[in-house]
Amino acid sequence: MRTMIVPEALPLDPEFDSERGPAIEAARLMPEALRGRFLRPPVWQAEQSSDGSLFQPERPLRPAAVLIPLIARADGLHVLFTVRAADLPDHAGQISFPGGRVEPGDASAVDTALREAREEIELDQRRVEVLGTLPPYRTISGFQVTPVVGLIGPGADLRADPVEVEELFEVPLSFLMDGANHQRRLVIQENNRRGVYAMEYFGRRRYMIWGTTAAMLRNLYRFLLA
């Protein structure tokens, strides 16, 4: 049985201080700039999980996808997150993006992400401008997750499905794309030492974005910074 990890209690990795990186300029976080970046992607290297020793190579990875929803607000783009319902069997209470495993009827990772967003937050896919995808990210739970980045048009009426989602909240994209707000925390279990990304945000309350969700945001940061 896997030990429950409390990210707030994990020590910070002091070696990460030199790796954080600068803030991405505001002009590069505008919708038109993001469209151009995905149309003409740079040469860059995505980071993968440091949990390699915990992977089970005999178990095939299950394909999944998430939507990284970018919503236009008066002060710029914001990223929408969900807080998973407390009684879910997996990752209860954790912060995530709308998403889930690929189903047989899904034609692509984009279809999966949009379908899951419709189910979880009632997002009409006609309100979504898909900018592109980031490289798939492997998780120790056995999934290979494709992040789909999408701009949410004005007037989208979002409502959380109470069965799956306890809360919706937003964080300014500029906050998440500033390396000063990135953390790497250390998980030390028996003889295994690994780092997990985290981003701590104070909105209506304290939100600790960590694990796979934070790692995919870190890859978005690296993609835009390259």
Side-chain angles (χ1 to χ4, degrees), residues 8-223:
E8 294 87 346
L10 299 176
L12 293 169
D13 182 354
E15 297 180 2
F16 184 60
D17 287 343
S18 62
E19 302 174 27
R20 292 178 189 276
I24 295 177
E25 301 93 326
R28 297 173 66 183
L29 301 179
M30 300 294 286
E32 194 56 39
L34 294 175
R35 291 185 186 103
R37 175 51 56 116
F38 278 95
L39 282 173
R40 297 175 294 277
V43 176
W44 70 294
Q45 183 65 47
E47 293 188 42
Q48 281 295 335
S49 173
S50 62
D51 300 335
S53 63
L54 301 180
F55 288 134
Q56 301 177 34
E58 72 283 357
R59 181 175 65 176
L61 291 170
R62 293 165 288 178
V66 298
L67 179 68
I68 301 180
L70 307 179
I71 301 180
R73 300 298 185 200
D75 61 343
L77 293 175
H78 284 219
V79 180
L80 178 73
F81 295 91
T82 66
V83 180
R84 291 172 59 82
D87 56 355
L88 288 175
D90 297 313
H91 309 294
Q94 288 189 11
I95 292 169
S96 63
F97 296 120
R101 69 184 65 195
V102 173
E103 299 292 349
D106 297 335
S108 66
V110 171
D111 284 349
T112 300
L114 295 178
R115 174 183 55 76
E116 289 284 345
R118 183 178 66 250
E119 294 172 0
E120 293 182 22
I121 61 175
E122 296 188 17
L123 175 61
D124 185 342
Q125 68 180 43
R126 293 173 297 182
R127 300 283 189 179
V128 183
E129 176 190 347
V130 174
L131 297 178
T133 62
L134 297 175
Y137 189 86
R138 295 184 305 163
T139 73
I140 58 174
S141 53
F143 287 95
Q144 182 161 284
V145 186
T146 298
V148 178
V149 181
L151 289 172
I152 311 304
D157 185 17
L158 305 178
R159 288 185 294 271
D161 174 6
V163 174
E164 295 191 59
V165 179
E166 182 178 293
E167 180 185 354
L168 300 177
F169 72 97
E170 298 176 16
V171 179
L173 180 62
S174 58
F175 178 92
L176 297 167
M177 296 297 103
D178 184 346
N181 298 320
H182 298 180
Q183 302 173 358
R184 190 163 64 207
R185 292 177 174 254
L186 295 174
V187 180
I188 303 171
Q189 295 173 322
E190 298 178 352
N191 295 323
N192 185 272
R193 179 181 184 271
R194 56 195 175 92
V196 294
Y197 285 111
M199 299 166 189
E200 191 173 13
Y201 180 72
F202 289 86
R204 290 190 296 266
R205 60 177 178 84
R206 180 191 190 193
Y207 296 97
M208 179 62 82
I209 304 161
W210 72 288
T212 298
T213 302
M216 290 188 288
L217 285 168
R218 179 70 178 177
N219 273 339
L220 177 61
Y221 169 80
R222 289 171 61 87
F223 172 74

